[in-house]
Amino acid sequence: MAPRSNNRNTNRSRPRKVRCKDTARRVFAAVPREARCTLRVTIVRETHDTPELVARRLAQAGGINRYGEANYRAVWGWNRLAWIGGKFEDRNDRGDLVREVVELRREPKYPAVNRWHIERWMPPES
């Protein structure tokens, strides 16, 4: 007789998909009770470094500022976060409204996050 599987439905030919909630429960249960208040969530974003060739071409085309850096730089949309204040709606996996909160959040600076953006350096006095 084959050993019993931990899957709820043992008639499946493929393993059960692990959902984020299941993983979070297991991780949370493994943390000692006194340390749970310090548990942090890490949000993974897609980030890219500027290719060296592009950085060199922007420095040649736009010149150098007073700090020895290029006046123009290429940044990936997800790499640039800015403090944005407003009323935010948090929703669960099904799209149901969980809460509304007014606060400051670090959100992507550019609405088109999956592309490159060219930023221009400006002196602080301007």
Side-chain angles (χ1 to χ4, degrees), residues 15-75:
R16 179 173 68 97
K17 288 184 181 177
V18 177
R19 301 169 85 180
C20 291
K21 289 180 184 177
D22 297 336
T23 306
R25 279 192 200 109
R26 277 183 274 158
V27 169
F28 190 73
V31 175
R33 184 172 290 276
E34 59 275 359
R36 287 185 185 172
C37 62
T38 60
L39 187 65
R40 294 188 183 255
V41 175
T42 302
I43 299 173
V44 179
R45 299 179 285 113
E46 180 182 3
T47 60
H48 296 284
D49 292 328
T50 306
E52 186 61 36
L53 177 65
V54 173
R56 251 187 290 130
R57 293 291 299 268
L58 286 171
Q60 288 172 352
I64 303 296
N65 63 26
R66 65 178 91 163
Y67 300 108
E69 301 168 343
N71 281 324
Y72 293 93
R73 67 178 177 180
V75 294

Side-chain angles (χ1 to χ4, degrees), residues 100-119:
E100 289 181 341
V101 63
V102 176
E103 65 182 3
L104 283 173
R105 289 188 179 178
R106 289 192 49 116
E107 294 287 325
K109 184 175 181 179
Y110 304 110
V113 292
N114 292 328
R115 61 185 61 159
W116 292 98
H117 301 273
I118 304 297
E119 290 185 335

Side-chain angles (χ1 to χ4, degrees), residues 75-90:
V75 294
W76 186 249
W78 278 113
N79 287 13
R80 298 289 292 153
L81 299 179
W83 287 104
I84 297 177
K87 183 177 181 181
F88 296 96
E89 296 179 345
D90 293 334

